[in-house]
Amino acid sequence: MVRMFSYYLELERRASRDELTDLYNRHYLNNYFETNPNQGGALFLIDLDGFKWVNDTFGHDEGDLVLKEVALRLRRLMEPIPDSRVYRLGGDEFLIKIAHALSKETVIGYAEQILSVLKEWDDHLPLSASIGIAQYDSDEQADLGRLLKEADIALYQSKSSGKNTYKFYK
């Protein structure tokens, strides 16, 4: 019976966690939005600038180490912030969700902190991050698909404007 329960817990962990970084995954994010649709908050969609070069130059093992380090840095950064979670959506794309209303100044402060912790690498790793931000109010029904699309549009604008920066949707 104990072995069965342990097996169940392991299956549940694998269904909700990214195997490489142990961050929450897209499946967990979807479930979270389904059960908490009216919270309000902000999504920070983060994409690493220069990651393809790292994989192409040093190989996927080095790339995996970078992804694990990004996960660690983001987790440490978000630890003291209530109602925040870090997700790996796939590849070099991460998402931070903060589940409460935030002023624009507070969101900017978080975005600048994220950029700061993701641009300090050894000289041989020219990495930084670009961030797309989507905010939403608690009085609206949160549509994860729409919010991800908005954050993705903002991320594209961020990358187009020179990388290592953030943009808000709208």
Side-chain angles (χ1 to χ4, degrees), residues 102-110 168:
L102 302 166
S103 69
K104 189 165 186 170
E105 293 78 23
T106 301
V107 172
I108 288 170
Y110 289 147
F168 285 85

Side-chain angles (χ1 to χ4, degrees), residues 82-131:
D83 300 322
S84 67
R85 288 221 165 89
V86 182
Y87 303 83
R88 179 170 176 227
L89 299 183
D92 62 334
E93 197 168 68
F94 295 83
L95 182 125
I96 293 174
K97 183 199 183 308
I98 300 177
H100 53 270
L102 302 166
S103 69
K104 189 165 186 170
E105 293 78 23
T106 301
V107 172
I108 288 170
Y110 289 147
E112 289 175 352
Q113 288 176 21
I114 294 165
L115 291 176
S116 177
V117 301
L118 294 182
K119 73 175 181 182
E120 296 176 12
W121 297 90
D122 293 338
D123 291 336
H124 76 283
L125 295 176
L127 293 168
S128 62
S130 294
I131 306 171

Side-chain angles (χ1 to χ4, degrees), residues 44-69:
F44 298 77
L45 185 58
I46 304 160
D47 190 73
L48 297 179
D49 306 323
F51 183 73
K52 182 180 177 344
W53 181 86
V54 170
N55 264 345
D56 291 348
T57 305
F58 299 105
H60 291 279
D61 289 342
E62 181 78 12
D64 286 352
L65 292 175
V66 166
L67 294 173
K68 288 177 184 179
E69 179 64 23

Side-chain angles (χ1 to χ4, degrees), residues 21-78:
T21 63
D22 201 39
L23 292 176
Y24 291 111
N25 61 21
R26 187 180 295 265
H27 176 74
Y28 186 89
L29 178 65
N30 287 328
N31 286 343
Y32 184 86
F33 265 83
E34 285 176 14
T35 57
N36 301 284
N38 294 9
Q39 260 185 343
L43 297 182
F44 298 77
L45 185 58
I46 304 160
D47 190 73
L48 297 179
D49 306 323
F51 183 73
K52 182 180 177 344
W53 181 86
V54 170
N55 264 345
D56 291 348
T57 305
F58 299 105
H60 291 279
D61 289 342
E62 181 78 12
D64 286 352
L65 292 175
V66 166
L67 294 173
K68 288 177 184 179
E69 179 64 23
V70 167
L72 180 66
R73 291 178 185 193
L74 292 176
R75 193 180 285 134
R76 281 185 185 152
L77 182 65
M78 292 295 115

